[in-house]
Amino acid sequence: MARILMVASEGLPFIKSGGLADVIGSLPFELTKKGHEVRVVLPLYLKIAQKYHEDFTHEASYHVNINYHEVPVIVYSQMVKDVKYYFIEHQGYFERDALYGYMDDGERFAYFQKAVIELLNQLDYWPQIMHSHDWHTGMIPVLCKEAHGFDERYRSIKHVYTIHNLAFQGNFGVEMLDSCLGLDYRLFDNGNVRYDGGISFMKSGILYADKVTTVSPTYSQEILTPQFGEHLEMVLNMRRNDLWGIVNGIDVEYWNPKQDPEIPYHYNRVNVAKAKKQNKLALQKEMGLHEDEDVLLVGVVSRLTWQKGFYLLLEQLDALCALPIQLVVLGSGESAIEEKMGQLQDGNRGKIAFYCGYNEALAHRIYAACDLFFMPSLFEPCGLSQLISMRYGTLPLVRETGGLKDTVIPYNEFEKTGTGFSFANYNSNEMMDVLRLAIEVYYHRPQDWKALVRFAMSQDVSWEKSAYTYCLLYKELHL
Ligand code: ADP
């Protein structure tokens, strides 16, 4: 049993912009089930304040030094299923419309991390392990070891740092080292936190943590190479003996086609075929697609970015439109992709539907109604959508990279096994070949399709196994 403090920039049920929030919403509770005492710290964003503030308990009020000024910090808490969540309040920094993407993101998250470090002192709460996630929290181990290294209470904390997406690194100007973080320039001069003339939160987290993890075994190997290492492959190679790859799970209570309140027709492995057709007809009606329960309905629920492989799709638009399928896309992101998707819908009314934006309820209905889920990512640290798809009997079509490779078993036409379809190279012709294979199986080998759906739905995509592996990792540090 260990006392673990998770530090992250987002987490369910409070706030979500991507897969990190799902992890922070599930992993802490799973760890408490295994006997650990887990707490979580998050920034208090506007959307959280609007919805939850009245239920909060005040925990502490204090100041941290940012830009040579004493800046106030107020901390609240709330319990969710045996896990205590702390919220760092600063209206100027966090009560904004979006979570990230501001000019002062470096200062905002420097403040957040300093507030977290001081919180331990204020509460006289000393975790044995601090588990920090992604660039927003990369300086946590540095602050403990360098700024507070003289203090045994901080020095004895062990640090786990999890990379959810190496592409976002939190690189900022060197002046922030002193002005916002209160750290010595020595750390820049000796190279510890230096990156490309400035400082990097991500690099610092990787170097200073006692263990580094990422969210799938394949991605943990890929990031050691220049192709996936985002210029940090050398640093990661230095830490390769402490680098673990642990696949994420999903919350199988929340993502459950048997009782999902967002979907019109509930189902399990036995009645999936019939209920899926009913869900399909309902979604087709909702999204303005031709109502046809037999057509192969392909779904996408995703951030619309280059990472997710949309350029492969855009390369093959004409070929795609000629296929005997319908396509429903839910997502938002890069304006070029959003625009193209809008045009595609306009030119193919009834066949292609596009919802631009974030819509949790619609995502559930898409997972339930579709036959195939499309995820041809350029890279994918873990990916949750393919796990959700399998749980809903929607076969994922993926590129063999990162967590997609670790979690989707490709169709084997000889053994009639698999949980989806996959292709190896980032190449749109390969993608189309495997899409055509999926179409062939759907229309002409219905028994094979049925077997794949059943097999996909019986995969264990819960947190159970992953949480167990995290426990092994903590044990290595804690004993
Ligand atoms: P990433 O974290 O890289 O965005 P993941 O596959 O790990 O990708 O997690 C994405 C999560 O966000 C999934 O739960 C997916 O259903 C959800 N999601 C993505 N885009 C949307 C959207 N536009 N509306 C609703 N849910 C979305």
Side-chain angles (χ1 to χ4, degrees):
M1 204 290 257
R3 285 188 306 282
I4 300 161
L5 180 64
M6 299 242 175
V7 191
S9 61
E10 58 181 273
L12 285 173
F14 300 101
I15 192 95
K16 169 170 168 176
S17 83
L20 168 62
D22 295 84
V23 176
I24 299 304
S26 299
L27 178 60
F29 177 58
E30 291 298 322
L31 294 169
T32 61
K33 287 203 285 189
K34 299 200 175 304
H36 295 293
E37 194 239 53
V38 188
R39 304 186 193 186
V40 180
V41 198
L42 299 171
L44 181 51
Y45 298 108
L46 180 62
K47 281 185 187 144
I48 305 181
Q50 284 168 339
K51 197 162 167 198
Y52 296 94
H53 211 296
E54 284 187 1
D55 307 325
F56 285 165
T57 305
H58 176 261
E59 291 279 351
S61 297
Y62 51 96
H63 290 81
V64 292
N65 194 293
I66 297 285
N67 283 333
Y68 315 107
H69 287 95
E70 292 299 304
V71 180
V73 182
I74 306 178
V75 183
Y76 299 94
S77 72
Q78 186 172 329
M79 291 295 292
V80 182
K81 294 200 289 188
D82 296 336
V83 178
K84 185 175 255 190
Y85 284 78
Y86 293 109
F87 299 91
I88 305 283
E89 182 183 74
H90 185 289
Q91 295 181 348
Y93 283 136
F94 298 125
E95 297 201 13
R96 304 181 184 184
D97 291 338
L99 275 61
Y100 324 115
Y102 296 101
M103 287 293 285
D104 61 347
D105 274 359
E107 183 177 321
R108 295 169 74 219
F109 286 97
Y111 164 84
F112 173 62
Q113 294 173 90
K114 282 182 87 170
V116 172
I117 296 293
E118 176 56 24
L119 179 64
L120 310 187
N121 184 39
Q122 292 288 327
L123 299 179
D124 197 18
Y125 156 70
W126 300 101
Q128 289 148 317
I129 292 167
M130 287 184 83
H131 187 160
S132 308
H133 298 262
D134 265 353
W135 73 261
H136 322 87
T137 63
M139 301 308 285
I140 290 276
V142 189
L143 289 166
C144 278
K145 293 182 181 184
E146 297 284 2
H148 295 271
F150 57 86
D151 184 338
E152 171 61 23
R153 298 172 306 172
Y154 283 100
R155 197 173 56 241
S156 60
I157 299 172
K158 300 287 183 192
H159 293 273
V160 177
Y161 181 61
T162 296
I163 303 165
H164 295 261
N165 194 337
L166 195 59
F168 303 107
Q169 300 186 346
N171 299 333
F172 304 104
V174 62
E175 64 287 348
M176 185 185 290
L177 199 56
D178 179 48
S179 63
C180 291
L181 292 159
L183 291 167
D184 202 298
Y185 273 110
R186 171 180 59 86
L187 302 180
F188 176 81
D189 292 335
N190 69 14
N192 283 6
V193 303
R194 187 172 63 215
Y195 180 83
D196 199 18
I199 62 169
S200 167
F201 285 15
M202 175 67 88
K203 171 187 162 173
S204 305
I206 294 168
L207 273 186
Y208 274 83
D210 299 287
K211 294 279 180 195
V212 180
T213 79
T214 187
V215 286
S216 68
T218 295
Y219 191 62
S220 76
Q221 293 307 302
E222 287 173 341
I223 56 178
L224 299 176
T225 67
Q227 196 189 342
F228 293 90
E230 304 283 350
H231 307 291
L232 289 178
E233 61 274 10
M234 298 271 273
V235 180
L236 285 156
N237 271 291
M238 287 165 67
R239 299 306 314 275
R240 64 186 307 156
N241 292 336
D242 293 309
L243 178 63
W244 291 42
I246 306 173
V247 162
N248 290 330
I250 56 169
D251 180 339
V252 289
E253 292 289 308
Y254 179 70
W255 295 107
N256 184 355
K258 271 188 233 167
Q259 57 183 46
D260 185 336
E262 306 294 354
I263 68 174
Y265 300 95
H266 294 144
Y267 58 92
N268 55 25
R269 255 177 288 169
V270 179
N271 66 345
V272 49
K274 180 158 177 254
K276 204 168 251 306
K277 283 181 195 273
Q278 292 170 315
N279 281 311
K280 189 188 297 184
L281 285 172
L283 185 76
Q284 285 168 331
K285 195 164 183 183
E286 177 183 350
M287 299 295 291
L289 293 165
H290 294 307
E291 290 173 46
D292 176 356
E293 63 175 32
D294 294 321
V295 73
L296 171 61
L297 182 59
V298 182
V300 174
V301 179
S302 178
R303 289 185 290 119
L304 302 183
T305 73
W306 50 276
Q307 180 210 324
K308 299 292 179 179
F310 281 97
Y311 289 104
L312 291 186
L313 201 137
L314 297 184
E315 262 176 47
Q316 295 286 346
L317 285 186
D318 291 342
L320 210 73
C321 292
L323 293 173
I325 60 169
Q326 287 182 357
L327 178 66
V328 54
V329 179
L330 162 62
S332 61
E334 286 170 31
S335 51
I337 306 176
E338 286 182 359
E339 244 168 62
K340 205 78 197 163
M341 285 295 153
Q343 289 166 3
L344 198 62
Q345 170 177 253
D346 292 342
N348 296 273
R349 289 271 170 201
K351 187 176 166 66
I352 294 176
F354 172 49
Y355 181 107
C356 186
Y358 189 92
N359 187 329
E360 187 74 20
L362 179 58
H364 286 245
R365 293 195 288 279
I366 291 177
Y367 287 118
C370 289
D371 303 291
L372 196 70
F373 190 87
F374 204 60
M375 205 168 169
S377 302
L378 173 61
F379 67 93
E380 196 61 72
C382 177
L384 296 173
S385 300
Q386 83 281 12
L387 303 178
I388 302 169
S389 303
M390 290 192 283
R391 177 115 175 109
Y392 280 68
T394 306
L395 301 181
L397 189 161
V398 302
R399 194 172 90 77
E400 291 158 17
T401 182
L404 298 176
K405 188 171 177 187
D406 292 329
T407 56
V408 177
I409 306 168
Y411 171 56
N412 180 321
E413 50 190 315
F414 305 104
E415 293 173 3
K416 319 245 174 263
T417 54
T419 63
F421 299 87
S422 66
F423 62 101
N425 297 306
Y426 190 72
N427 174 307
S428 66
N429 291 319
E430 259 188 53
M431 178 189 78
M432 290 306 284
D433 284 346
V434 74
L435 179 56
R436 286 193 192 95
L437 171 66
I439 292 170
E440 155 74 17
V441 179
Y442 178 81
Y443 287 111
H444 303 296
R445 304 178 210 169
Q447 289 312 319
D448 286 15
W449 190 274
K450 238 172 147 175
L452 294 189
V453 169
R454 218 173 305 126
F455 197 39
M457 289 183 79
S458 52
Q459 294 299 297
D460 179 7
V461 291
S462 75
W463 269 101
E464 177 63 31
K465 239 185 322 183
S466 322
Y468 175 74
T469 315
Y470 277 108
C471 289
L472 295 180
L473 173 83
Y474 297 143
K475 208 165 172 189
E476 279 203 3
L477 286 174
H478 179 46
L479 290 179

